[in-house]
Amino acid sequence: MKAIVIDTPGAEDVLKIGDVPPPPIGPEDLRIRVRATSVNRADLLQRQGFYPPPAGASEIIGLECAGEVVEVGAAVSGWRVGERAMALLPGGGYAEEAVVHHGSALRVPPTLTFEEAGAFCEVFLTAFLNLFMLGEVKPGEAALVHGGGSGVGTAAISLLREAGARSLVTAGSDAKCRRCRDHGADVAINYRGGDFSTAVREATGGRGVDVILDSIGAKYLTANIDCLAPDGRLVIIGLIGGAKEEINLALLLTRRLRVIGSTLRTRSAASKAEIVASFLQRFGDALAAGRLRPVIDRVLPLEQAAEAHRVVQSSAHFGKVVLRV
């Protein structure tokens, strides 16, 4: 089958189309003929050699896909050949075929195209896991999401709106802030314009937010703590801004704050199946009705994976960059 291969980690041009054997299928797996996948920040890190796949996972880049089921493992029930599926992958998305544990797959509703479905799972399940399962956002609460114009950010805005929670986001330009508000964010803050924590306090009447979804890490830690309301939860999912920083632990005690670290890719198949099932229970009707869909910035052919990585690296996009296979 055709797939994007990497001989040596490096810049975008190391991404080349090559021929590789189809992935083997296990008894609890589905084989999907991939029609679309999309680019996530983790893909850029893996391309550079900084984020290897979990043990046993495909070495091929790609954390999600959508297509048709072409083979069903012997121990799988409830799926049949020909069904449209979208899936969360530990790797292997940039290819003509992908194999995934059936618990990590969702049926593609008629409301989504393959391109939309190929950009759905990683960002919506990431946002759901960290805001709702770990962050325990409740209706009427307020959540701050850094990177509101990213794939995870736009998915988070959609989920928070659907759940009846207030969304505050940061973005890197006034234009992106406008687009975040157009997408449904209640408040959008240009982080290049000054201290975002002051803006968050002003937007919440001095109270702060109940949950923060943060992909920056150390650079934002102190300001994030300052933004949290009593009993607030900070969920850290990335370290773009560094991994080490000092904080005043007394603030955690006196305001009863929680700091939670989270990753999705390395979780077990059972854990991912639980996340998928919980997502469908909470938001399955909204997905089926077409109220949840990823924001697509552009669609490029798989052969242009290098260009897709350049776009995401530059942060010139809003939402997801999709690769059509």
Side-chain angles (χ1 to χ4, degrees):
M1 68 175 187
K2 299 293 185 183
I4 294 293
V5 297
I6 300 175
D7 292 330
T8 304
E12 293 86 356
D13 288 339
V14 302
L15 300 173
K16 305 290 185 183
I17 284 283
D19 289 303
V20 300
I25 186 171
E28 297 185 344
D29 296 338
L30 301 174
R31 184 186 302 278
I32 298 173
R33 165 60 173 97
V34 178
R35 299 296 181 182
T37 183
S38 70
V39 179
N40 293 283
R41 286 279 176 184
D43 300 348
L44 277 60
L45 294 174
Q46 183 173 338
R47 185 201 74 231
Q48 298 171 78
F50 300 139
Y51 192 26
S58 172
E59 295 287 337
I60 296 169
I61 292 177
L63 298 180
E64 57 193 331
C65 73
E68 302 101 350
V69 175
V70 293
E71 187 177 357
V72 178
V76 177
S77 61
W79 282 94
R80 66 179 187 275
V81 170
E83 288 188 286
R84 298 204 311 161
M86 53 187 182
L88 182 71
L89 307 172
Y94 291 19
E96 290 180 324
E97 290 186 358
V99 165
V100 63
H101 188 273
H102 70 278
S104 294
L106 300 80
R107 286 174 176 80
V108 178
T111 52
L112 294 186
T113 66
F114 276 135
E115 287 79 9
E116 290 173 317
F120 187 92
C121 289
E122 176 69 19
V123 294
F124 272 89
L125 293 175
T126 293
F128 172 72
L129 165 65
N130 295 294
L131 285 170
F132 293 89
M133 295 183 74
L134 299 179
E136 300 176 353
V137 172
K138 302 174 183 64
E141 288 191 330
L144 170 64
V145 178
H146 291 300
S150 67
V152 171
T154 50
I157 292 169
S158 296
L159 292 176
L160 290 166
R161 181 182 63 236
E162 185 69 27
R166 190 178 185 212
S167 61
L168 296 82
V169 303
T170 61
S173 70
D174 290 341
K176 282 193 174 182
C177 285
R178 284 193 297 271
R179 294 195 67 179
C180 289
R181 288 190 291 268
D182 290 343
H183 186 57
D186 295 289
V187 177
I189 301 162
N190 185 344
Y191 62 78
R192 300 185 193 279
D195 178 18
F196 68 80
S197 63
T198 300
V200 169
R201 286 284 178 184
E202 291 175 352
T204 57
R207 178 179 179 274
V209 294
D210 301 284
V211 179
I212 299 175
L213 181 58
D214 174 54
S215 58
I216 306 302
K219 181 180 177 181
Y220 278 8
L221 182 59
T222 299
N224 279 336
I225 295 296
D226 185 55
C227 286
L228 284 173
D231 297 303
R233 291 83 72 190
L234 168 60
V235 186
I236 301 174
I237 62 170
L239 301 172
I240 296 172
K244 294 183 178 181
E245 182 59 82
E246 290 186 2
I247 59 171
N248 182 355
L249 293 176
L251 296 176
L252 274 64
L253 274 62
T254 57
R255 287 160 51 201
R256 303 178 303 277
L257 306 179
R258 282 182 277 164
V259 179
I260 304 165
S262 175
T263 60
L264 179 56
R265 186 182 193 182
T266 56
R267 288 174 177 264
S268 67
S271 176
K272 291 177 182 177
E274 180 184 359
I275 295 166
V276 169
S278 297
F279 174 83
L280 291 174
Q281 182 178 21
R282 179 76 181 270
F283 292 107
D285 289 346
L287 172 60
R291 296 195 301 273
L292 298 180
R293 58 191 339 118
V295 175
I296 305 299
D297 182 87
R298 69 193 72 186
V299 179
L300 299 171
L302 183 64
E303 292 78 6
Q304 293 185 27
E307 175 60 20
H309 276 226
R310 290 188 190 98
V311 171
V312 174
Q313 182 68 56
S314 70
S315 295
H317 62 301
F318 185 85
K320 296 300 292 289
V321 176
V322 174
L323 294 171
R324 182 184 292 121
V325 182

